[in-house]
Amino acid sequence: NLREVIGACICVLDNPEAQLSDLMQYVKGPDFPTRGIIMGRSGIRQAYATGRGRVGCRARTEFEEFGNNRTRIIVTEIPYQVNKRMLIKSMADQVEDKRLDGISDIRDETDRNGMRIVIELKRDANPQVVLNRLFAQTQLQTTFAINMLALVEVNGKLQPKILSLRHIIDEYLAFQEEIIVRRTRYDLKDAQARAHLLEGLLIAQDNIDEVIHIIRTSYDNAKENLMQRFGLDDVQAQAILDMRLKALQGLDREKLEKEYQELEERIAYFNQLLSSEEMLRGVLKEELTAIRDKYGDQRYTEIQDV
């Protein structure tokens, strides 16, 4: 569940010494898109502590009265990765082979409103006994294996390793920090290049008449003349030459200075971010919180303490 995982990530960012018990206050267990019920927490704890474990998953069922004192079992959720059609076929085959008693009819009434498998029982059948046998003999109850495998960098090479919940969160956070660092370095380089270009344009704006004169009177060495006269480098001089004279004459110093100042502030922020681990983790925490608030949803799969 996204909301639970991000909660655990933020817990680690706030408390680097967080233990498994702290993390499991946020990450309750697997959350399957087909909903269902997880039976017990021991398998979850083992999986999160060691990276391997097994959890029992059960369909959600209810008893419904119909007809003359008859009962039917209604299945509204099934375990993850169980094929509904094959599940119904397996139950029907076992009824036909007399391996399941007390069932008179099985049909699928699933529609756009949700899943609904109807298992009608014979008048003399005990509903709980039949349901227990369905859990034991069909995929209304399954075991889901958890194998927390991830690629981890070891001595400069990526290797597959089984990780505990804490270790896999640490790897994820380290990866996300690396993304922020690489993104910031790129933005810093881009801002520095633009600021450098603006410095050349500001020089040109201060000496606009002379710049235009040099361009008009130079044959094929206008760039060299600009570089020599105003101390520009190749990039700055080429940017001035690439502008049309009308655009060059229309340069607005106030606008250029405002953009240059904003770039200087961004460059200072990027440098500060790259030099501060605390600030970097603060940005990561803000971004994770934004993802949680935008995409986080409620848990689908119920966990029962049995």
Side-chain angles (χ1 to χ4, degrees):
N1 181 278
L2 179 63
R3 183 177 295 276
E4 294 180 2
V5 171
I6 290 181
C9 289
I10 293 175
C11 174
V12 171
L13 289 173
D14 290 337
N15 177 21
E17 304 301 322
Q19 302 298 314
L20 178 63
S21 57
D22 301 317
L23 301 181
M24 287 193 66
Q25 293 180 20
Y26 298 92
V27 184
K28 307 299 183 183
D31 190 18
F32 303 118
T34 53
R35 301 179 185 269
I37 301 170
I38 292 176
M39 312 303 292
R41 299 179 186 270
S42 60
I44 297 173
R45 174 170 285 277
Q46 180 185 7
Y48 288 167
T50 65
R52 293 181 185 272
R54 303 174 73 84
V55 295
C57 303
R58 179 176 284 187
R60 184 175 297 279
T61 61
E62 60 185 32
F63 296 128
E64 186 177 279
E65 301 296 328
F66 77 105
N68 296 322
N69 297 322
R70 293 183 61 186
T71 303
R72 53 191 175 197
I73 299 170
I74 308 299
V75 181
T76 55
E77 300 171 11
I78 59 176
Y80 184 54
Q81 293 183 334
V82 171
N83 184 287
K84 182 182 65 173
R85 184 177 63 84
M86 297 302 296
L87 171 65
I88 294 174
K89 183 178 184 302
S90 172
M91 290 190 291
D93 289 345
Q94 292 190 54
V95 170
E96 185 177 350
D97 295 340
K98 309 297 185 183
R99 285 180 289 159
L100 278 175
D101 297 326
I103 297 175
S104 61
D105 187 30
I106 302 173
R107 61 181 180 273
D108 185 5
E109 295 183 356
T110 302
D111 57 19
R112 67 181 64 185
N113 296 319
M115 178 179 295
R116 180 179 167 88
I117 301 172
V118 179
I119 305 170
E120 293 189 355
L121 307 183
K122 296 177 180 178
R123 193 182 305 277
D124 58 347
N126 184 315
Q128 191 60 57
V129 171
V130 174
L131 181 59
N132 289 343
R133 297 203 59 168
L134 285 169
F135 284 143
Q137 296 177 213
T138 73
Q139 286 191 304
L140 283 184
Q141 180 168 305
T142 63
T143 301
F144 185 83
I146 299 175
N147 190 21
M148 294 167 60
L149 183 68
L151 288 176
V152 179
E153 187 171 339
V154 179
N155 298 326
K157 295 183 179 180
L158 291 177
Q159 297 181 4
K161 290 188 67 176
I162 301 294
L163 302 179
S164 67
L165 177 63
R166 174 57 201 262
H167 288 154
I168 210 164
I169 287 177
D170 287 340
E171 289 293 328
Y172 173 75
L173 291 176
F175 176 71
Q176 291 300 321
E177 286 185 13
E178 179 64 21
I179 288 176
I180 294 175
V181 168
R182 292 168 63 181
R183 181 186 70 200
T184 303
R185 286 174 179 165
Y186 176 86
D187 291 340
L188 174 61
K189 184 178 179 181
D190 191 56
Q192 288 173 331
R194 178 60 182 170
H196 181 66
L197 204 62
L198 287 177
E199 290 173 357
L201 293 179
L202 285 168
I203 292 173
Q205 204 279 335
D206 288 340
N207 305 273
I208 190 65
D209 293 335
E210 188 176 356
V211 168
I212 292 174
H213 177 73
I214 291 174
I215 294 174
R216 283 178 171 171
T217 57
S218 299
Y219 177 60
D220 57 358
N221 60 342
K223 182 193 293 186
E224 290 75 10
N225 291 338
L226 289 172
M227 292 169 62
Q228 184 177 358
R229 171 65 183 85
F230 300 110
L232 305 174
D233 65 12
D234 185 85
V235 173
Q236 292 171 322
Q238 187 62 51
I240 293 172
L241 291 175
D242 288 341
M243 296 181 68
R244 294 192 302 182
L245 288 179
K246 184 177 181 180
L248 197 58
Q249 288 176 311
L251 285 176
D252 185 341
R253 181 173 184 82
E254 184 178 346
K255 185 177 179 181
L256 291 176
E257 286 181 338
K258 182 179 179 182
E259 182 183 357
Y260 183 75
Q261 183 179 357
E262 290 174 352
L263 285 170
E264 287 291 288
E265 292 173 357
R266 289 182 63 195
I267 290 169
Y269 168 75
F270 292 148
N271 283 322
Q272 185 181 5
L273 179 59
L274 290 173
S275 62
S276 172
E277 181 69 22
E278 183 179 354
M279 191 173 175
L280 185 68
R281 294 173 80 87
V283 170
L284 176 55
K285 182 178 176 180
E286 290 175 3
E287 294 185 357
L288 288 174
T289 302
I291 293 172
R292 180 197 64 191
D293 294 343
K294 185 174 182 180
Y295 299 106
D297 54 9
Q298 299 303 313
R299 164 170 285 277
Y300 284 171
T301 304
E302 179 187 349
I303 301 175
Q304 293 186 354
D305 292 316
V306 294

